[in-house]
Amino acid sequence: MRVMAQMSMVMNLDKCIGCHTCSVTCKQAWTNRDGTEYMWFNNVETRPGQGYPRGYEDQEKWKGGWELDKRGKLRQKGGGRLKKLMTLFANPLLPDIDDYYEPWTYEYDNLLNAPAQKNIPTAPPKSQLTGKPIDVQWSGNWDDDLGGTYANKDKDPMIRGIEEKVQLEFDQTFMFYLPRICEHCMNPTCVAACPSGAIYKRSEDGVVLVDQDDCRGWRMCVSGCPYKKVYFNHKTGKAEKCTFCYPRLELGEPTICAETCVGRLRYIGLVLYDADRVTEAASTPDEKDLYEAQKDLILDPYDPEVMAAAESGGIPYDWILAAQNSPIFKLIKEYEVALPLHPEYRTLPMVWYIPPLSPMVDSVADSGFDAEDADNLFAAIDTLRIPVEYLANLFTAGDVPTVERVLYRMAAMRSYMRDVDLGREPKEGIANAVAMTGETMQDMYRLLAIAKYDERYVIPRGHGESAHNLEGVGTDCPLNSEGGPGMAEESEGAGMAGPGYAAKREESNVPRPGEGRVNLLNWDGKGVPQGLFPEPTGGTA
Amino acid sequence: MSDDTTLDILLWIVLPYFVLAIFILGHVWRFRTDQYTVTSRSSQLYESKLLRFGSPLFHYGIIAVFFGHLMGLLIPQRWTDAIGITESMYHWGAFAMGIVASAVTAGGIMILAWRRTTNDRVKTVTPVGDKIMFGLLGLSILLGIVATLFNLEGSYNYREGLSIWFRNFWTLNPDASLMASAPLFFQLHVLMALVLFAIWPFSRLVHAFTIPFGYLNRPYILYRSRDDTERKPRPGWAKSDIPEVPGPATSRRRK
Ligand code: HEM
Ligand code: SF4
Ligand code: SF4
Ligand code: SF4
């Protein structure tokens, strides 16, 4: 047993209101530079819908993730080492910008500089790639709130196979929001696909990062990631991805997307897992068993044997305590209500989701019945096949009973807690019906409904025994551009500086990085890095 | 050697060694200080239909051309003579293979150049450095083809002139007269290539030295410890005097 710690997230989809605050704050913090316009480390997609980039889940087309070969061995779906090297010159599996969208801005100058005229001046859109006017046809979130989704429903890879039913029972329209970030997978294909070895999993907390010095722009990681969460910076020619806001994690702060989430639906915490069994779990023959296999990898942090192995593996004691208090462990292992997104990609993703009960609740309420009655809800789960099958396609590789089991629990909680709220005697039978006790049900309710900041985010601070500092060096953070968030020296309040950040810096007596040497991380790919040359030279590409 | 003019010595002895020095030192400097800009700087995101033909054609072509040059320049004529290959057999064999490789290369680079000049998206991300590099590279290839075509009959046997100059250059025993007596287009081809090599380390062409052979035998999943690797100051990065952020004193180093 080789115990490793993994920072992970769970999102409770019932609470997501689709406000996109998370996407915007992440963008402002990390991807507001040239070359990153189209990158959404966090995006929120309406499901059913095509997602971002369009139809990314169609792995027959994009060939992301892993598959099993005839002998049951794990291999990259997009081809092995030799194939990758042979196709370096033009990657046949790379989405192009139109699969995302052509980023644009507006001619704001028009508004300010227009001469006096009869009509109000406008600010027409112009492409951020070419600077020319464009006719905006698509964007990262064009099918928000089902806009055009049913016209395009054949394009949602997850609807394939159940499309007739969706058409037949059009009145049963359902939708929900799916916020997505990088999964910081235990078995990441982006890492496996990188010919330069520039992407790695941090052994301390499992965060997957791109080393900006080592990346050579072969863009194989973009194809390798089945979630399409590695993006190619077209100005610097290097790959960038969600960093799990590691500079914040190291200070014990939640990620920006979680911190700013309006629905307060995100949970962050550690899990301990057995790294020796990762490949074995990812090679589980039946796709539908992958969820269980991955759940089994996650170790019980109270088990003395696990604790001892963790200690001897170099995991500090306060991290083990954090793993014990982890909301993630509770949601995945104790209450068993969180599910991984697309376990069938075999990357063992570590951002999990509590599937939404709202399609069933809405349906019961719409038909005039009591939507907080357990029996009504159970019946709705049993009869509303389409949403349930759809959810199963997302979260359990199509295994309907597992999704049903989770939904039953959520329905039972709803019903049980109503009695508590109304001051009635809660019905233990409801909890027992979903194999829980009234007590655990109440605990689960606490965590899901009213947990405070420090219960939702249990993040032990980073240990920097040999580290120079936790964010100033920036290490391989691609984001330390001029005016970017990594440049804490420029403005204290910006970017990753969360609440209490200034105080923490003060407390740890962290001086600002000095000037004087060339810092290529400050460089945005335009012109020549400051201080590198006495004078710019023409030959430098 | 005594008959060489100053110009000959400058062009065929001083310049080549000078370029060699720039090439080596330039690359050492670039890789030591500036890893961040070493990339193929792919433009595939903008346009892939043309690139999908142009780039592999060009690259596979240029790799063939490279090995062709190695053969022509490094294998002495007496070796091929010794195994019974006559000069004319050699000439026509080399010509046939060379013309295929250079046609592929030239076709590829033409597609790439067409793409760079006609596609708005690609055009806007082509810095001056790229344009200069493209020009020099295109000219070198063009002059190489022209030199070969002007020498269709094989009246100039480069293996008795240019190739020997090349080998002598590496054995530090340079002989300018061997180049000075070569036909004009051969001279121009070599000069253009020398200029290209001089800008090489400062252009995107550095990506040719980053072929990731290591990928063939490494584990798929890589782990790095924050402690061991990332925080080491690296050349080209801003130096930081920020002390460690205090944390509980537990050792968490992994093997
Ligand atoms: C054998 C190792 C090499 C590899 C793996 C390699 C790979 C690449 C890649 C991935 C690109 C970017 C294509 C894109 O836009 O997506 C590229 C572009 C380019 N390479 Fe190479 N290359 C190699 C050697 C060379 C050599 C030896 C030369 C020239 C002498 C060269 C000249 C170029 C040029 C001119 C471009 C720009 C093409 C364009 O975008 O218009 N490469 N290379
Ligand atoms: S989700 Fe993240 S860690 Fe997983 S393969 Fe994609 S980029 Fe890599
Ligand atoms: S963890 Fe940070 S970088 Fe990743 S999506 Fe959230 S805010 Fe963006
Ligand atoms: S901020 Fe929270 S509620 Fe709003 S879209 Fe993002 S995840 Fe959903």
Side-chain angles (χ1 to χ4, degrees), chain B residues 9-239:
Chain B
I9 292 176
L10 275 181
L11 282 184
W12 311 120
I13 296 178
V14 178
L15 180 68
Y17 281 115
F18 182 63
V19 167
L20 179 67
I22 296 184
F23 192 82
I24 294 174
L25 294 177
H27 277 103
V28 171
W29 169 82
R30 181 83 185 262
F31 279 91
R32 285 197 42 153
T33 62
D34 196 7
Q35 290 274 325
Y36 183 53
T37 64
V38 178
T39 155
S40 67
R41 207 141 39 65
S42 164
S43 55
Q44 191 178 353
L45 194 64
Y46 295 135
E47 197 286 334
S48 67
K49 288 195 183 69
L50 285 172
L51 187 90
R52 223 166 264 182
F53 290 100
S55 186
L57 275 180
F58 168 75
H59 280 98
Y60 283 117
I62 201 95
I63 291 169
V65 165
F66 172 74
F67 284 107
H69 277 68
L70 278 193
M71 276 195 320
L73 292 171
L74 291 185
I75 299 178
Q77 186 162 354
R78 46 176 207 292
W79 294 12
T80 49
D81 286 350
I83 55 168
I85 298 177
T86 66
E87 164 57 15
S88 115
M89 278 160 69
Y90 179 89
H91 175 73
W92 289 109
F95 178 79
M97 287 192 290
I99 213 71
V100 172
S102 44
V104 170
T105 313
I109 200 170
M110 266 150 41
I111 297 177
L112 290 175
W114 162 262
R115 170 177 177 271
R116 285 236 162 231
T117 45
T118 56
N119 186 299
D120 276 344
R121 293 173 182 169
V122 184
K123 202 156 64 180
T124 51
V125 291
T126 307
V128 202
D130 271 12
K131 290 180 190 153
I132 298 173
M133 182 276 296
F134 251 89
L136 290 172
L137 183 61
L139 271 179
S140 309
I141 296 172
L142 183 72
L143 285 167
I145 296 176
V146 171
T148 309
L149 291 179
F150 267 72
N151 190 32
L152 254 187
E153 298 303 320
S155 53
Y156 173 65
N157 180 358
Y158 58 79
R159 293 195 301 156
E160 282 169 355
L162 202 152
S163 300
I164 299 176
W165 166 81
F166 182 79
R167 291 196 294 273
N168 287 349
F169 170 80
W170 290 104
T171 52
L172 304 182
N173 180 24
D175 183 352
S177 64
L178 287 168
M179 266 315 290
S181 58
L184 179 66
F185 280 114
F186 279 95
Q187 293 180 334
L188 288 179
H189 175 57
V190 171
L191 277 181
M192 200 50 73
L194 286 175
V195 181
L196 182 66
F197 291 140
I199 65 148
W200 193 292
F202 315 102
S203 75
R204 73 185 289 159
L205 292 181
V206 282
H207 75 268
F209 289 99
T210 59
I211 313 173
F213 289 120
Y215 189 47
L216 289 173
N217 65 346
R218 66 145 228 242
Y220 268 141
I221 307 297
L222 302 176
Y223 297 90
R224 284 195 209 173
S225 165
R226 211 189 84 200
D227 279 3
D228 297 342
T229 48
E230 294 164 37
R231 306 303 158 123
K232 260 190 246 144
R234 298 192 202 172
W237 287 11
K239 203 174 154 151

Side-chain angles (χ1 to χ4, degrees), chain A residues 72-313:
Chain A
K73 271 194 69 186
L74 211 55
R75 69 168 177 218
Q76 290 184 67
K77 207 175 170 76
R81 303 170 197 265
L82 217 53
K83 172 148 184 234
K84 292 247 151 55
L85 291 189
M86 302 301 281
T87 51
L88 283 183
F89 310 118
N91 175 356
L93 297 172
L94 191 76
D96 64 30
I97 194 75
D98 294 318
D99 292 307
Y100 301 91
Y101 65 97
E102 180 159 350
W104 75 89
T105 178
Y106 296 93
E107 295 269 15
Y108 293 111
D109 278 358
N110 256 15
L111 301 179
L112 301 172
N113 301 335
Q117 59 189 74
K118 216 168 79 200
N119 302 315
I120 298 175
T122 59
K126 66 172 179 187
S127 162
Q128 282 179 310
L129 299 184
T130 62
K132 297 195 172 156
I134 64 166
D135 179 17
V136 177
Q137 296 284 348
W138 190 261
S139 80
N141 219 37
W142 209 246
D143 54 359
D144 208 13
D145 291 342
L146 297 185
T149 294
Y150 280 86
N152 285 323
K153 70 177 167 3
D154 50 317
K155 293 193 184 129
D156 177 349
M158 292 303 109
I159 269 188
R160 276 184 210 149
I162 53 175
E163 61 257 81
E164 287 97 75
K165 296 189 222 161
V166 174
Q167 203 156 27
L168 284 175
E169 297 163 61
F170 190 74
D171 53 314
Q172 288 189 7
T173 307
F174 68 99
M175 65 162 241
F176 59 94
Y177 300 104
L178 182 70
R180 293 201 305 123
I181 68 172
C182 162
E183 299 279 347
H184 297 278
C185 308
M186 288 174 177
N187 187 36
T189 356
C190 60
V191 174
C194 173
S196 310
I199 311 188
Y200 59 94
K201 213 171 156 54
R202 229 158 59 149
S203 44
E204 283 82 0
D205 53 11
V207 173
V208 176
L209 296 169
V210 184
D211 186 320
Q212 291 291 299
D213 266 3
D214 290 353
C215 172
R216 297 285 176 249
W218 305 128
R219 64 239 175 300
M220 291 297 166
C221 49
V222 181
S223 316
C225 172
Y227 302 91
K228 290 291 168 280
K229 279 293 173 187
V230 189
Y231 297 88
F232 190 77
N233 182 324
H234 50 93
K235 285 282 158 58
T236 62
K238 305 236 161 173
E240 295 187 19
K241 64 181 288 299
C242 157
T243 61
F244 221 135
C245 292
Y246 75 86
R248 288 177 56 97
L249 291 184
E250 288 171 5
L251 292 171
E253 305 269 359
T255 66
I256 289 181
C257 52
E259 173 86 54
T260 60
C261 173
V262 172
R264 301 192 176 179
L265 55 92
R266 301 192 184 211
Y267 299 80
I268 300 176
L270 283 178
V271 294
L272 302 179
Y273 70 104
D274 183 359
D276 281 339
R277 288 194 292 125
V278 164
T279 310
E280 181 195 321
S283 316
T284 306
D286 186 349
E287 288 183 345
K288 292 185 177 163
D289 298 333
L290 278 159
Y291 155 67
E292 285 292 339
Q294 188 174 0
K295 192 151 67 77
D296 283 348
L297 271 187
I298 298 172
L299 302 167
D300 179 358
Y302 291 101
D303 180 343
E305 222 177 286
V306 171
M307 288 169 72
E311 282 249 46
S312 64

Side-chain angles (χ1 to χ4, degrees), chain A residues 384-404:
Chain A
L384 291 175
R385 300 321 297 165
I386 298 150
V388 176
E389 281 177 34
Y390 188 85
L391 291 173
N393 282 351
L394 286 182
F395 299 115
T396 56
D399 182 34
V400 172
T402 302
V403 171
E404 280 178 341

